[in-house]
Amino acid sequence: MKHKTTVSLVLGGGGARGLAHIGAIQWLVENGYTIKSIAGTSMGALVGGIYATGKLDAYTEWVSALDKIDILRLLDPAFGRSGFFKGDRIIGLLRELIGDTAIENLPLAFTAVATDLDTGKEVWLRRGKLFDAIRASIAIPLVFTPFQYGHRRLLDGSLVNPVPIAPTLNDHTDLTIAISLSGRDERQFELPAKAPEPSATAHREQIESFIQGLQSPASAGIPVPGMLSIALKSMDTMESTIARLKLAAYSPDVLIELPHNACQFHEFWRARELIAFGYERTARTFMQNG
């Protein structure tokens, strides 16, 4: 019987670019790699945790059907609190769609990485409810409120470790494969055009206005980013710098890098394109590595 190559998979953070992790996992599974361990930060924790439950296909079908308005409807305002959104609505929906379980009962080793708000330390979540760990790991500052996990207040793991290789160092697997969403910009990079969306309604126009506010509206020809846009771009820049430092300290056997400009941080409605891109970039990386 032929030995299947076992893998420790490291899934980095990077907002909507994290949807490309789905395509990467699809390619690895189709090509005979057995994922025995996953360490993930932010969207890497979300995609990796759902894969560990065996429900990634259900999540892929759901997220691929979302458009801009659907994304906005998933956000629950946290008026007067320490973030724009509570995050309860999206996590509640995912619990219904996927079903919650204890991390220690998953069929493979799983680590979600978060940041302790009070100490600034990296936190590895390896026990307890899966979606509690995921909610902590995706708590992007300003966007989502910090998550209370036991006695700790936790934020997005990308603040301290956007590509968490360290949790896999003691794994007994054949390969460590890391997927970084903070690769250098590619000048000619361009995703395929998405199919046209339905015609606008008054409600849709309001949503579109909010979405535009997350981007870079112009005034007198000069870009004037909104407050949330500045926060997201700042975090993106920080993640890219930390990711390079972490990868210099811990070198995986295979590094798959997606360009930083693959999409904007919040463009979760581009799931189909990003999944296909993750699949293609994984195939290309393995072809180049021989």
Side-chain angles (χ1 to χ4, degrees):
M1 183 176 178
K2 186 178 178 180
H3 170 74
K4 284 196 171 185
T5 303
T6 58
V7 169
S8 293
L9 185 62
V10 178
L11 301 178
R17 295 191 300 278
L19 293 167
H21 290 320
I22 298 172
I25 290 172
Q26 289 173 344
W27 189 92
L28 291 170
V29 172
E30 288 177 12
N31 286 272
Y33 293 89
T34 301
I35 300 169
K36 303 292 287 185
S37 169
I38 294 177
T41 285
S42 200
M43 270 298 289
L46 190 151
V47 172
I50 292 175
Y51 172 76
T53 69
K55 301 289 184 65
L56 188 60
D57 287 346
Y59 174 74
T60 301
E61 182 178 354
W62 173 76
V63 77
S64 296
L66 298 179
D67 62 18
K68 292 182 183 180
I69 284 185
D70 295 324
I71 299 298
L72 268 293
R73 286 173 176 161
L74 290 171
L75 300 176
D76 41 2
F79 300 108
R81 300 179 64 180
S82 51
F84 283 116
F85 308 106
K86 293 181 287 186
D88 295 342
R89 187 174 298 165
I90 177 63
I91 291 297
L93 189 150
L94 290 174
R95 287 185 201 270
E96 291 180 13
L97 179 69
I98 305 300
D100 211 347
T101 186
I103 294 173
E104 53 268 35
N105 292 335
L106 293 171
L108 53 80
F110 176 75
T111 305
V113 176
T115 303
D116 189 309
L117 173 61
D118 299 301
T119 67
K121 292 182 178 180
E122 181 175 338
V123 179
W124 296 356
L125 303 174
R126 290 173 155 172
R127 300 185 64 82
K129 291 184 178 180
L130 174 64
F131 278 103
D132 282 352
I134 289 172
R135 171 61 180 84
S137 189
I138 67 170
I140 304 166
L142 190 60
V143 177
F144 291 117
T145 57
F147 185 71
Q148 192 71 37
Y149 193 93
H151 65 282
R152 290 168 161 161
R153 292 185 299 165
L154 301 181
L155 288 173
D156 195 303
S158 293
L159 291 168
V160 290
N161 199 345
V163 191
I165 296 173
T168 69
L169 292 179
N170 292 324
D171 290 350
H172 299 288
T173 52
D174 298 319
L175 289 176
T176 297
I177 299 173
I179 304 175
S180 171
L181 307 178
S182 300
R184 297 189 183 280
D185 287 359
E186 296 181 9
R187 183 172 299 183
Q188 302 301 320
F189 179 80
E190 190 173 305
L191 286 171
K194 194 180 180 192
E197 295 185 9
S199 59
T201 63
H203 179 64
R204 180 178 290 273
E205 288 171 358
Q206 292 176 357
I207 298 296
E208 291 287 344
S209 177
F210 182 92
I211 290 290
Q212 291 300 322
L214 298 180
Q215 301 178 34
S216 300
S219 175
I222 302 173
V224 185
M227 180 172 63
L228 187 54
S229 175
I230 290 172
L232 292 176
K233 287 179 181 295
S234 297
M235 186 164 176
D236 243 0
T237 301
M238 179 193 69
E239 284 183 18
S240 296
T241 301
I242 297 174
R244 287 195 292 272
L245 293 172
K246 292 291 185 181
L247 289 169
Y250 302 106
S251 297
D253 297 301
V254 179
L255 174 62
I256 300 163
E257 288 191 291
L258 276 73
H260 182 265
N261 63 335
C263 72
Q264 295 194 61
F265 199 90
H266 60 280
E267 292 183 314
F268 287 92
W269 55 86
R270 302 180 71 174
R272 292 185 186 278
E273 305 159 49
L274 290 162
I275 292 167
F277 181 59
Y279 187 100
E280 180 276 332
R281 186 54 57 103
T282 303
R284 183 197 301 184
T285 299
F286 274 84
M287 184 178 298
Q288 291 173 343
N289 289 351

